[in-house]
Amino acid sequence: MPELPEVETVVRSLRGVLTGRHIQAWQIFWPRSLDDPELPATLQQQADNRITGLTRRAKWILVLFANGSRIGIHLRMTGRLYPVSMQEWPTLDKHLISWAWQLDESEWLVFADQRRFGRTIWLPDENSYNAFNARFGPEPLGRKFTTASLFRALQGSRRQIKPWLLDQTRIAGLGNIYVDESLWLAQIHPQTATNLVPPKQAQLLRDSIRKVLRRAIAANGTTFMNFKFLSGSEGGYTDELLVFRRQGQPCPRCQGLIERIQVAQRSTHFCPQCQPWLVRS
DNA sequence: TCGAATGTTGCGAA
DNA sequence: TTTCGCAACATTCG
């Protein structure tokens, strides 16, 4: 359950649950999910383990501690992060769980992950956080994601636009679903070379990305098989998808048939009729 | 049995 | 230097 809106949904739903709590114990079921095997011991040695907040950067969940250290959690394809009561905890099937924190008042925070791709990293200080932060491009919903900066960046590359948008060093947080949706809304063919996108289309693309992400966040994300936030609630954006996994169905804009092709090893959905190869302004 | 699945990384070859 | 394809990670589902 992986893209920006789903991660944002998890962060918002867990912020109130985690803020102010302490991690009393850490149970590890899949050690490889930890970037640093010493992380649990390191955390225990911290004088103050109070969680002061929860934020998101790209598709990472960041848990903030009182002394300025952070833990980053990436859900990858199938990760889920949710609280579980003390009563419920013993009944859980542990083989799907990568790790779990025991919080104050005897609640558990579970990181369950069917495919076990999810990762957890340790950012002890500002230096490590800055290095982490530098790995990503601008947040698409942030102030720095302007039409001018997007157009400039597009001019600097000759790659196909779809893999370019998926590249987290260019824009942070977009994944396969929302790239297809955004390109459809902006009427840009996914294989268009980035440097051939005219300024007007760049503006439309920037606005489309923000519109799609905002609507998805408002709907609590998209649910396929694995994404559920908190205990079992489903994301509502699944019903609002206009092209993703709708191959063979009529385009909502022009009634052409949605096609599915491979672009950069990812399944890609678009309308060949109203997303021409290259759009001129 | 094979292929594909919301993601990321690293390697080697154009 | 940039871009691209592929494998790997691990598991389930159709």
Side-chain angles (χ1 to χ4, degrees):
Chain A
M1 45 87 100
E3 302 183 39
L4 186 155
E6 290 74 36
V7 178
E8 183 66 28
T9 299
V10 172
V11 165
R12 290 182 184 186
S13 67
L14 287 179
R15 184 174 287 138
V17 175
L18 290 181
T19 302
R21 315 275 295 262
H22 298 78
I23 299 171
Q24 300 186 332
W26 192 334
Q27 280 205 23
I28 317 285
F29 299 94
W30 186 252
R32 289 180 61 178
S33 68
L34 300 183
D35 176 57
D36 172 6
E38 300 305 311
L39 173 49
T42 307
L43 196 68
Q44 287 309 311
Q45 286 160 17
Q46 283 198 157
D48 186 354
N49 270 344
R50 190 168 59 90
I51 295 172
T52 55
L54 208 60
T55 60
R56 178 191 57 75
R57 174 62 170 133
K59 299 171 192 170
W60 286 85
I61 297 162
L62 295 176
V63 182
L64 316 178
F65 293 95
N67 68 353
S69 62
R70 296 169 175 87
I71 284 177
I73 301 165
H74 199 301
L75 303 167
R76 292 287 181 93
M77 301 284 273
T78 58
R80 292 178 54 195
L81 199 61
Y82 54 91
V84 161
S85 72
M86 191 68 168
Q87 292 73 34
E88 203 180 344
W89 170 251
T91 71
L92 287 191
D93 184 0
K94 306 295 190 297
H95 90 271
L96 291 178
I97 299 178
S98 288
W99 53 252
W101 289 341
Q102 191 177 2
L103 305 168
D104 301 325
E105 295 143 43
S106 302
E107 191 172 36
W108 290 82
L109 181 77
V110 169
F111 181 23
D113 186 15
Q114 192 166 66
R115 282 174 73 175
R116 303 199 245 233
F117 282 178
R119 290 296 177 263
T120 305
I121 61 171
W122 176 232
L123 301 169
D125 51 33
E126 285 307 295
N127 278 344
S128 55
Y129 172 69
N130 289 337
F132 163 83
N133 205 27
R135 290 161 40 190
F136 306 107
E139 286 289 329
L141 295 177
R143 272 192 199 166
K144 291 181 182 170
F145 186 58
T146 62
T147 298
S149 68
L150 175 62
F151 179 68
R152 214 178 308 122
L154 290 170
Q155 287 293 106
S157 167
R158 300 180 181 189
R159 294 171 71 185
Q160 296 179 333
I161 193 156
K162 169 146 186 182
W164 192 91
L165 291 172
L166 288 172
D167 183 345
Q168 302 296 296
T169 69
R170 303 296 175 178
I171 300 174
L174 294 180
N176 209 31
I177 298 174
Y178 299 112
V179 164
D180 281 6
E181 295 294 314
S182 300
L183 287 173
W184 179 84
L185 199 55
Q187 293 188 255
I188 298 172
H189 190 291
Q191 290 175 303
T192 306
T194 59
N195 59 329
L196 298 183
V197 175
K200 279 220 157 178
Q201 236 65 36
Q203 172 156 30
L204 187 56
L205 177 60
R206 184 257 187 190
D207 294 344
S208 298
I209 288 170
R210 290 165 71 97
K211 184 185 247 181
V212 165
L213 293 178
R214 284 213 184 92
R215 291 197 54 143
I217 290 171
N220 290 322
T222 299
T223 302
F224 288 129
M225 46 278 211
N226 292 292
F227 168 59
K228 295 185 176 184
F229 62 96
L230 287 191
S231 299
S233 307
E234 308 213 333
Y237 201 72
T238 315
D239 297 330
E240 298 187 43
L241 295 175
L242 296 173
V243 283
F244 194 78
R245 294 195 184 170
R246 296 181 73 92
Q247 60 271 21
Q249 299 180 36
C251 169
R253 182 169 42 218
C254 76
Q255 311 304 313
L257 288 189
I258 305 292
E259 267 187 33
R260 181 180 133 160
I261 60 174
Q262 290 289 121
V263 179
Q265 297 84 49
R266 306 300 301 276
S267 71
T268 298
H269 314 75
F270 74 109
C271 174
Q273 198 165 293
C274 63
Q275 287 171 264
W277 183 262
L278 167 64
V279 185
R280 297 184 188 284
S281 50

